[in-house]
Amino acid sequence: MGHDTDSTNPAPDAPALPTPATRAGRDGLAALLARPERAVIALDFDGTLAPIVPDPDQARAHPGAVPALAALAPKVAAVVVVTGRPAGVAVRHGGFAGVPGLDHLVVLGHYGAERWDAATGTVTAPAPHPGVAAVRAELPGFLDRIGAWRGTWIEEKGRSLAVHTRRAEDPQAAFDALRGPLADLAARHGLIVEPGRMVLELRPPGMDKGVALLDLVRGLGAGSVLYAGDDLGDLPAFTAVEKLRSDGLPGVLVCSGSAEVTELSERADLVVPGPAGVVELLGALAAHA
């Protein structure tokens, strides 16, 4: 995945760490390795820890993800999964509950609106936005009326709804055709549309992965941060890390590589080959921290 990066006292057989392509990324990685106990490791779920699959209900974390996280977590200030999924769903699909070493894992679901703590095993969240129930009732007929029902399907996410186009005859054309009408529908009910990889999610405004990440990093008084993601919904988290870096907090931006989304890879300090590459990176960090 790259060349060796200097580390304090890596194990003799520690896997090589990749070298970030940017100075800011190299500085961020050096700070993380110098004081791992002050580092926050934050990761998206789908496409980053779990391979993208046609049916999101079948998504599961890469087999190496939990062991790598369990090896790294005791050495850093916090390991956090930041996802658009409900927190409880990410916990189940990730296999995160009751894992030795992940006693202090935090999962921020619905872009940070929900929080699951491994220490308590409970989810805390505000009351649902009333617009979600309104859209839930209207969405099937809405898609039917505009001729978009064939090949698209609705994912129920509790605090949001997502319309997937990956199964359509022309997924990108269906995605493009639906983006405007769904944005109008969302706006009528006080919601926003979050685009992703062949999916458009209708959800409440005011919270995104960037807001969630900033709150967490600042609340912990972290000394460095690494964020890994793969999709458009991760752009606010990238912006948050860039904001923290401009304020003097070192950080590393990692893209879980995909040909479908180039916006992240163009801004990342480090691009790795999908969830397998993320797992390899986490394992190398655990060995060098």
Side-chain angles (χ1 to χ4, degrees):
M1 291 194 330
H3 305 293
D4 284 316
T5 297
D6 289 338
S7 170
T8 312
N9 290 301
D13 57 347
L17 272 166
T19 300
T22 65
R23 167 57 71 87
R26 292 192 291 274
D27 290 346
L29 184 57
L32 189 159
L33 294 172
R35 296 288 303 277
E37 73 280 2
R38 297 195 62 211
V40 169
I41 308 296
L43 310 120
D44 171 47
F45 186 72
D46 292 283
T48 302
L49 289 176
I52 294 290
V53 293
D55 181 356
D57 285 340
Q58 301 304 313
R60 297 294 183 271
H62 183 284
V66 167
L69 289 171
L72 179 59
K75 300 182 177 184
V76 298
V79 171
V80 188
V81 176
V82 191
T83 174
R85 285 182 181 270
V89 172
V91 171
R92 290 194 300 275
H93 289 198
F96 300 137
V99 177
L102 293 184
D103 319 71
H104 301 291
L105 177 73
V106 172
V107 177
L108 300 178
H110 282 298
Y111 303 91
E114 291 185 344
R115 175 174 175 141
W116 176 87
D117 288 270
T120 62
T122 59
V123 174
T124 55
H129 190 291
V132 175
V135 167
R136 180 180 293 115
E138 189 175 341
L139 192 53
F142 177 85
L143 291 174
D144 197 30
R145 285 194 304 276
I146 65 174
W149 190 254
R150 185 181 300 276
T152 64
W153 62 282
I154 300 169
E155 180 187 3
E156 171 59 62
K157 301 180 74 173
R159 294 174 180 271
S160 65
L161 296 138
V163 178
H164 292 260
T165 68
R166 192 174 290 275
R167 298 176 187 169
E169 185 176 345
D170 187 335
Q172 187 64 53
F175 177 93
D176 294 340
L178 280 171
R179 194 164 182 172
L182 286 178
D184 292 340
L185 173 65
R188 289 204 304 274
H189 295 288
L191 305 179
I192 61 171
V193 169
E194 182 82 46
R197 291 166 68 175
M198 302 306 150
V199 60
L200 294 155
E201 183 171 347
L202 294 82
R203 67 178 185 85
M207 178 59 76
D208 60 36
K209 292 184 179 184
V211 173
L213 186 60
L214 282 174
D215 287 348
L216 186 92
V217 170
R218 289 170 172 165
L220 288 170
S224 63
V225 58
L226 179 148
Y227 184 84
D230 76 305
D231 206 347
L232 297 173
D234 297 302
L235 287 172
F238 270 40
T239 299
V241 172
E242 290 164 348
K243 163 64 175 167
L244 289 166
R245 293 201 295 207
S246 71
D247 293 341
L249 185 84
V252 186
L253 293 170
V254 179
C255 174
S256 176
S258 163
E260 291 181 356
V261 180
T262 59
E263 289 91 336
L264 264 74
S265 60
E266 291 167 354
R267 287 173 63 178
D269 305 307
L270 188 62
V271 179
V272 299
V278 172
V279 167
E280 188 178 346
L281 173 63
L282 294 172
L285 287 171
H288 284 260

